[in-house]
Structures are given as C-alpha cells and as structure tokens.
Amino acid sequence: NDALRGLKRIRVEVDYDRNETRVYGSKYREATYDSDGTTVIHDPTRCEQIAILKELRETGPSPDPTAKLTIIQDPNFDILKDEEGNDIEPTPLFTFTGQPRVE
C-alpha cells in the first residue's frame, strides 16, 4: 500500500469505547526550519542542528544568543492545538472497527 511506503514513525491507538483501532504514520522522525525560517529540513542530523543554531545565534535574520530550533509537527501524525488550545486530531491512515465481545 502506498500509504505505508517510507514511514519513519507509526502510532497505533486502540479505542475500546468505540471498538476502533486507528493507525497513524509519518514520513519523518522530526523536522525543523533552517535558519532562514522558511526552508524545512526533515530528519536533520546533529551537525545540521548545530549549524542552524549557530547561524540563528550569530548571523541569522535577527541574531539571538538564546535562539532554539523550531520543531515542526506532522499534522498527519501529531495531535496539534488550535488557537483556543483545543486538540486537533490527525486523520488516521487506517481505521479498523471491531465488534464488542459479548460472553
């Protein structure tokens, strides 16, 4: 299945109340912005992270000795927050629905 190609993270949620299993996937482990603030770097190496921090702290668009990497969350995998702090759930790659077991 093309939805499963190249995944680097996978999350499985089991919802017993709804009798559902949801599968989420992401094509990168982490992502950050380059020092220009617009270029996205997927799965940066430690050396790339250090270089970005150095540029931000010393020579970036607005040098800042306390600058930190800007982590980019995956809207297809991570639970995000809206402006009011409410959770925005990603859409699962797959949802499996089961039947409650009655004994």
Side-chain angles (χ1 to χ4, degrees):
N1 185 323
D2 287 338
L4 299 175
R5 292 187 200 280
L7 293 181
K8 293 187 179 177
R9 291 189 292 168
I10 190 166
R11 184 175 83 234
V12 178
E13 290 182 356
V14 179
D15 187 334
Y16 291 103
D17 293 335
R18 293 184 179 169
N19 298 310
E20 286 183 349
T21 300
R22 295 179 291 277
V23 180
Y24 303 89
S26 178
K27 296 198 184 255
Y28 56 89
R29 286 182 287 282
E30 67 178 337
T32 188
Y33 286 112
D34 198 351
S35 60
D36 64 8
T38 57
T39 305
V40 177
I41 299 176
H42 291 104
D43 298 322
T45 64
R46 186 71 180 132
C47 289
E48 288 173 313
Q49 292 173 339
I50 292 169
I52 294 166
L53 283 172
K54 184 176 180 181
E55 289 172 10
L56 289 172
R57 291 178 178 170
E58 296 175 0
T59 61
S62 47
D64 178 2
T66 63
K68 296 182 177 159
L69 294 176
T70 302
I71 302 301
I72 303 169
Q73 294 185 311
D74 186 343
N76 297 311
F77 185 84
D78 299 306
I79 299 171
L80 306 176
K81 300 277 185 189
D82 65 12
E83 305 84 35
E84 297 159 4
N86 301 314
D87 288 345
I88 301 172
E89 295 279 341
T91 302
L93 295 171
F94 304 103
T95 300
F96 302 100
T97 304
Q99 295 292 325
R101 185 173 171 175
V102 180
E103 295 188 29

